[in-house]
Amino acid sequence: MPTETKTTCPYCGVGCGVIAKIDDNGSVSVRGDPDHPANFGRLCSKGSALAETIDLDGRVLYPKIAGERADWDEALDLVAARFSQAIAEHGPDSVAFYVSGQCLTEDYYVANKLMKGFIGSANIDTNSRLCMASSVAGHRRAFGSDTVPGTYEDLDQADLIVLVGSNLAWCHPVLNQRIHAARQSRPNLKIVTIDPRRSVSADTADMHLMIRSDGDVALFNGLLAHLSTSPAFNRAYVAAHTTGFQGALAAAQGLTVLDVVQETGLTVGELLAFYRLFETSERVVTCYSQGVNQSSTGTDKVNAIINCHLATGRIGRPGMGPFSLTGQPNAMGGREVGGLANMLAAHMDIEDEAARDRVGRFWRAPAMAAKPGLKAVDMFEAVADGRIKALWIMATNPVVSMPDADRVRKAIRDCPFVVVSDIEENTDTAALAHVLLPATGWGEKDGTVTNSERRISRQRAFLPAPGEAMPDWWQMAEVARRMGFSEAFRYDRPAEIFAEHAALSGFENNGDRDFDIGAKADIGPDAFDAMPPFQWPHQRGTLEGTTRFFAEGGFYTPDRKARFIAVRPQRDDRTSIEAPFLLNTGRIRDQWHTMTRTGKSARLSSHLAEPFVEINPDDASDLGIAKAGLVTLDNAFGSVTLRALITERQPKGSVFAPMHWSGQNAANARVDALMAPRIDPISGQPALKNVGVRMGPAKMISHGFAVAAVRPERLDAAYWAAAKTENGWRVEFGFDTSIGDIEAWCRHTFSLPDRSDHLAYTDNQSRQQRHGFFEGDRLLLAFYVAPEPVSVSRDWAVGQLGLSLATPAARLAILASRPGAGQLDPGATVCSCFGIGVNQIAAAVTAGDCTVEAVGIRTNAGTNCGSCRTEIRGIIDAFHQQAAE
Ligand code: SF4
């Protein structure tokens, strides 16, 4: 009998519910959970492809010490001994944990308890520091607590949604779908995007403010000044529930309109249009994400936004409020247990002596940390300068994702003792581990996560743990026992940890702390198994219900009033004569983090298969960068080589590159290697969207493209980028030296059997050489090499793998590098759910389909997860524009 398990998507902070089904033959499929309040059955392309990412290829299946298989006891004894030794010799601050928003709340709780209550240091920080620490700091400054006031229902009910630094269509696609569904039923709903580049989200917005990088404080200060003299100003709310308004207003009024124009790069007309729209829309939600947080002024930006909502009293009521959208599936859970180095547990403040005492008594902790620990950037600095002697990295890949990533790699490599717990063996960070511990992954783990709207959902296991993989909480608890803390870490199952976490949240909580799920403190294993998604708070003795905060004040400051924060714009121009282009980074639609999981899906990899950089056409022309050429970006911190994507979406003088590619899937594309380790001084969050770089064409003497049945073992080229396909791999190459005998090079690089047939052809006009290697009727390798970037239809070539190519004509088509008569080249993938390419969509439009729905009926494109609907709309619009010209 097929079995079905309700669980939660492990990617972004939307926290969609999914149903995982195992059929009788063992195959797994995943669909949206229609009952989950975050998504009501919707999924995006990443969520839809979850079943394609759970194979055991590349999994860590047993503990390893120095690269050799070890048993659990041996590995755990060693970890406990080395941490204990470092603490004994150098003190508790000589050790550190670097954890992750991928950890479940129960994992996080145990790690935090061990470090802050028993080791006696607060050196535990999380990769969530890289995505939303500024929101935490902004919330705490304004509200006295890290509280997200609203819920996703507010997006359904708003009249105006402002997206600040948020490419919602690609980074939180199901919320984007939800907003567009609301707009269909209420066409008056307006959407404004505020973003320095024209992202896909801007395509469907009513207004796009192409703001200068880091111009947000000026923009919202101007809005505050505007609102203060408008009917939207809520004098009664401000008087009853806030303090500091005059100071914030004075700071805002310190800017003239011309100052705001200069700081934001927007016109007076654009500013006034936005300010009037905000003023006249009572129900307004301002969503913000990494474009706000990942900045050296991120916390000020958050407070500039919150100031406007406080001034209008538009907070905590249906359809209104500031809304921080978290990047990771459990960034919020990490915040709840105190996974940040400057927090304690259950949203308590580590700098509050009474809170430390309370938590210490609850845990019966022998060594409560007395001060905040090292935040991520400072932590790796301490690793680099030798203060940290033992480091445990869990479920994250800092060698790729940290700023100044090359220095971080060196720091980890030189650290005396490094433990990595992960599911994947082949990551840039796992390669540096002294001890590698096999963790359970999505589908095997059991516990809870909290999404952006404070909704706690179960992640349930539906697959057995492979090999000797064990949950992160178990690993931590075992090490804690070996360090002499048996009694406090005697957990047998996640339900016990969750119950303890819930009990701590309600412990001595008389309504003066926002995070309280004390109603779950007595939960047993069965109730935990069955626990449906719920929003916090849920205090003991109360009923669950949809909750919003602060409509009637009740903030978590000593006087229960919110604080307006006086913020002033600070120009942070990181460009220079040596590095004149401003590099912005972000995510793409179909990949997640460093691609350790989404990179396993051929479908997801087909959307954008190469690391790229978006460049304005004028800049490309000035620098002699050709369309689809290779480009080098460099600065004092590092260099990368990426494919040029020349587009009007990118303003002149700046470039955009995604942060996903690592050393596992590209030669030199870790864009965070270029990022300065520069942080917001309040939140400690790195400014990952603003660094100066130099740019120029990467000089290659030849370029190559290959489709291969197996991944090449030896990739020896100045540039390469490999992506999984349905039946093999596709690899792009750039060569800065001659590759000599091409047949020999191919056989060596792709480990081809000697017996494979070889066909070759040279096109004298393009000087392109084309090689095909076959075994029986199967293509093993097609390799195209030319002095210029190879012009072969990638999607067609990829489609040849796995086909029967028995006839001479079929083999010759490989050498001709184009489809035979009667075959359609699908073109670059637009809809990854159904594998529909741009040429297929263009054909539908040519045939008369002029709506996204009509294209969907003919081709299926956009009819599943809907993540590509904006791109389909763009193809239709481009066709009609061309026809009109
Ligand atoms: Fe997963 Fe997509 Fe939902 Fe995010 S929006 S939780 S990635 S299905």
Side-chain angles (χ1 to χ4, degrees):
M1 279 285 287
T3 58
E4 293 198 334
T5 305
K6 288 194 172 204
T7 181
T8 311
C9 175
Y11 293 127
C12 83
V14 179
C16 296
V18 303
I19 298 175
K21 180 179 174 189
I22 305 183
D23 276 321
D24 291 339
N25 63 6
S27 65
V28 175
S29 60
V30 166
R31 68 181 192 278
D33 179 354
D35 300 325
H36 197 289
N39 57 319
F40 296 109
R42 299 180 183 99
L43 289 182
C44 76
S45 49
K46 293 184 285 289
S48 301
L50 270 168
E52 295 159 35
T53 62
I54 53 176
D55 65 43
L56 298 187
D57 202 21
R59 282 293 296 266
V60 192
L61 294 174
Y62 40 78
K64 285 186 171 181
I65 298 174
E68 299 296 324
R69 181 170 185 165
D71 65 32
W72 268 111
D73 276 332
E74 210 181 339
L76 295 167
D77 286 348
L78 179 63
V79 174
R82 291 297 298 265
F83 270 72
S84 297
Q85 183 190 357
I87 294 163
E89 291 176 4
H90 305 281
D93 288 334
S94 67
V95 301
F97 296 162
Y98 186 61
V99 296
S100 163
Q102 304 292 312
C103 293
L104 302 186
T105 299
E106 293 69 23
D107 303 321
Y108 253 132
Y109 180 86
V110 175
N112 189 57
K113 178 178 175 181
L114 174 57
M115 182 57 81
K116 291 188 183 143
F118 292 76
I119 288 177
S121 169
N123 282 348
I124 172 170
D125 212 40
T126 156
N127 63 5
S128 299
R129 177 74 60 191
L130 311 184
C131 80
M132 53 70 214
S134 295
S135 284
V136 176
H139 288 157
R140 293 180 73 208
R141 283 207 301 190
F143 307 147
S145 57
D146 176 21
T147 315
V148 173
T151 77
Y152 293 162
E153 278 179 8
D154 295 326
L155 300 173
D156 305 332
Q157 297 164 348
D159 295 325
L160 170 64
I161 294 173
V162 184
L163 304 176
V164 195
S166 165
N167 185 7
L168 200 76
W170 278 15
C171 301
H172 297 94
V174 164
L175 290 187
N176 193 54
Q177 291 175 37
R178 195 163 170 163
I179 288 171
H180 285 279
R183 186 151 75 164
Q184 274 204 321
S185 58
R186 289 186 302 111
N188 286 338
L189 164 59
K190 295 276 185 289
I191 301 171
V192 175
T193 62
I194 299 170
D195 198 315
R197 62 192 270 266
R198 188 171 177 84
S199 69
V200 175
S201 301
D203 290 349
T204 48
D206 298 283
M207 186 187 293
H208 172 212
L209 301 179
M210 203 179 234
I211 194 169
R212 193 193 297 273
S213 178
D214 284 340
D216 314 71
V217 170
L219 177 71
F220 282 91
N221 265 4
L223 177 60
L224 183 67
H226 175 92
L227 293 170
S228 69
T229 58
S230 80
F233 180 56
N234 191 331
R235 201 171 301 277
Y237 188 90
V238 169
H241 302 304
T242 73
T243 63
F245 174 69
Q246 288 306 333
L249 183 61
Q253 289 175 332
L255 296 175
T256 65
V257 174
L258 282 181
D259 290 335
V260 179
V261 166
Q262 206 167 25
E263 293 292 331
T264 61
L266 302 170
T267 65
V268 173
E270 286 174 315
L271 290 170
L272 282 180
F274 170 56
Y275 291 172
R276 288 216 182 96
L277 189 57
F278 196 104
E279 172 200 329
T280 55
S281 305
E282 172 73 358
R283 291 195 290 185
V284 52
V285 178
T286 307
C287 299
Y288 52 94
S289 195
Q290 267 68 316
V292 165
N293 294 328
Q294 290 179 335
S295 161
S296 60
T297 55
T299 308
D300 282 354
K301 292 182 186 185
V302 170
N303 286 113
I305 292 167
I306 292 173
N307 283 347
C308 294
H309 281 272
L310 291 174
T312 49
R314 293 170 181 168
I315 187 166
R317 288 184 283 145
M320 58 188 86
F323 208 144
S324 153
L325 299 176
T326 48
Q328 296 201 73
N330 200 27
M332 292 281 277
R335 284 146 72 164
E336 290 154 14
V337 303
L340 292 162
N342 54 319
M343 297 292 291
L344 187 49
H347 278 197
M348 283 181 264
D349 185 349
I350 196 166
E351 296 186 77
D352 175 350
E353 196 178 338
R356 290 201 303 270
D357 174 65
R358 184 182 305 119
V359 176
R361 283 185 285 112
F362 181 87
W363 281 342
R364 297 199 184 112
M368 281 301 293
K371 62 180 193 310
L374 295 168
K375 297 170 185 161
V377 170
D378 294 337
M379 180 184 286
F380 283 102
E381 189 53 40
V383 176
D385 68 23
R387 279 174 288 154
I388 299 294
K389 314 289 183 195
L391 173 67
W392 192 339
I393 299 167
M394 195 176 292
T396 184
N397 198 359
V399 170
V400 182
S401 53
M402 282 295 292
D404 203 2
D406 288 347
R407 181 168 159 80
V408 168
R409 177 167 56 191
K410 182 174 182 316
I412 297 172
R413 187 186 291 137
D414 294 345
C415 184
F417 187 65
V418 176
V419 184
V420 174
S421 300
D422 210 319
I423 62 169
E424 287 298 316
E425 181 140 31
N426 301 316
T427 78
D428 294 9
T429 302
L432 307 178
H434 296 103
V435 178
L436 181 59
L437 300 176
T440 44
W442 183 80
E444 303 145 13
K445 310 207 261 196
D446 197 40
T448 56
V449 289
T450 309
N451 72 2
S452 296
E453 62 163 354
R454 291 177 279 105
R455 191 174 299 281
I456 296 175
S457 298
R458 291 277 283 106
Q459 257 196 31
R460 295 184 174 89
F462 58 90
L463 294 168
E468 298 176 12
M470 293 298 286
D472 294 306
W473 65 262
W474 180 89
Q475 299 177 20
M476 284 274 165
E478 285 296 320
V479 168
R481 288 179 204 177
R482 285 164 168 81
M483 291 175 77
F485 310 127
S486 296
E487 199 50 45
F489 292 87
R490 211 176 280 286
Y491 305 115
D492 289 325
R493 52 180 65 86
E496 295 164 5
I497 304 168
F498 180 80
E500 184 179 312
H501 164 55
L504 175 56
S505 75
F507 183 60
E508 298 177 359
N509 188 346
N510 304 310
D512 48 6
R513 305 200 309 268
D514 64 337
F515 180 71
D516 186 345
I517 54 168
K520 308 289 186 195
D522 301 324
I523 200 165
D526 292 343
F528 184 68
D529 271 353
M531 189 172 77
F534 72 99
Q535 272 184 298
W536 65 259
H538 187 195
Q539 299 94 339
R540 189 184 281 276
T542 64
L543 292 176
E544 272 179 47
T546 301
T547 50
R548 296 180 176 86
F549 283 87
F550 309 143
E552 305 297 332
F555 295 90
Y556 293 92
T557 51
D559 60 5
R560 305 307 294 250
K561 291 186 174 188
R563 304 282 183 259
F564 278 93
I565 305 294
V567 289
R568 293 173 183 81
Q570 293 168 38
R571 207 34 104 70
D572 188 22
D573 186 355
R574 310 309 296 183
T575 58
S576 62
I577 293 172
E578 297 78 36
F581 291 94
L582 194 144
L583 169 63
N584 178 10
T585 64
R587 290 188 260 161
I588 61 173
R589 191 189 78 189
D590 287 359
Q591 293 296 349
W592 177 251
H593 276 198
T594 59
M595 296 168 64
T596 50
R597 288 177 294 169
T598 45
K600 289 180 159 204
S601 162
R603 261 200 302 160
L604 297 179
S605 298
S606 66
H607 179 231
L608 289 164
E610 248 190 303
F612 63 88
V613 52
E614 291 188 350
I615 307 169
N616 180 274
D618 290 344
D619 291 333
S621 160
D622 291 348
L623 296 171
I625 294 170
K627 191 176 163 198
L630 290 172
V631 176
T632 298
L633 307 182
D634 68 352
N635 61 15
F637 299 96
S639 84
V640 294
T641 306
L642 310 169
R643 185 72 63 187
L645 204 162
I646 298 169
T647 168
E648 300 277 2
R649 289 182 178 278
Q650 197 59 38
K652 220 167 133 38
S654 66
V655 293
F656 170 85
M659 47 70 75
H660 304 291
W661 275 267
S662 72
Q664 307 302 314
N665 38 40
N668 184 24
R670 290 157 49 247
V671 297
D672 285 329
L674 296 166
M675 286 295 158
R678 200 162 38 84
I679 57 170
D680 176 304
I682 301 157
S683 68
Q685 178 154 358
L688 287 170
K689 291 186 173 292
N690 180 356
V691 75
V693 293
R694 188 168 51 177
M695 174 167 66
K699 300 267 185 290
M700 299 290 161
I701 61 172
S702 62
H703 297 256
F705 172 68
V707 292
V710 294
R711 185 185 162 112
E713 284 172 18
R714 312 164 190 90
L715 281 161
D716 184 17
Y719 173 83
W720 62 264
K724 199 155 189 259
T725 70
E726 201 57 52
N727 292 296
W729 290 82
R730 54 180 284 180
V731 192
E732 302 281 349
F733 290 98
F735 301 100
D736 58 2
T737 56
S738 167
I739 55 177
D741 179 336
I742 294 177
E743 182 187 349
W745 182 88
C746 286
R747 288 193 183 279
H748 174 74
T749 301
F750 290 89
S751 308
L752 297 172
D754 291 342
R755 61 183 179 279
S756 52
D757 301 336
H758 174 226
L759 292 179
Y761 170 77
T762 301
D763 182 333
N764 288 328
Q765 199 176 2
S766 66
R767 292 192 292 146
Q768 188 182 104
Q769 289 198 42
R770 303 163 190 170
H771 296 253
F773 294 83
F774 303 86
E775 189 168 49
D777 65 344
R778 298 286 150 176
L779 176 67
L780 296 181
L781 170 71
F783 181 65
Y784 307 92
V785 61
E788 302 299 329
V790 173
S791 57
V792 171
S793 166
R794 270 54 177 169
D795 293 83
W796 171 81
V798 161
Q800 303 309 294
L801 288 170
L803 295 183
S804 171
L805 304 176
T807 66
R811 288 187 170 199
L812 283 174
I814 297 292
L815 296 192
S817 71
R818 61 172 180 268
Q823 286 179 278
L824 177 68
D825 167 12
T829 301
V830 175
C831 170
S832 43
C833 291
F834 292 106
I836 307 298
V838 65
N839 293 346
Q840 291 165 291
I841 293 167
V845 180
T846 309
D849 297 339
C850 55
T851 62
V852 175
E853 289 69 29
V855 170
I857 289 168
R858 191 187 296 267
T859 66
N860 275 339
T863 59
N864 186 37
C865 76
S867 302
C868 61
R869 290 170 68 85
T870 311
E871 283 147 288
I872 298 171
R873 174 84 261 154
I875 296 168
I876 295 169
D877 290 348
F879 176 85
H880 289 137
Q881 196 179 339
Q882 220 170 19
E885 284 169 2

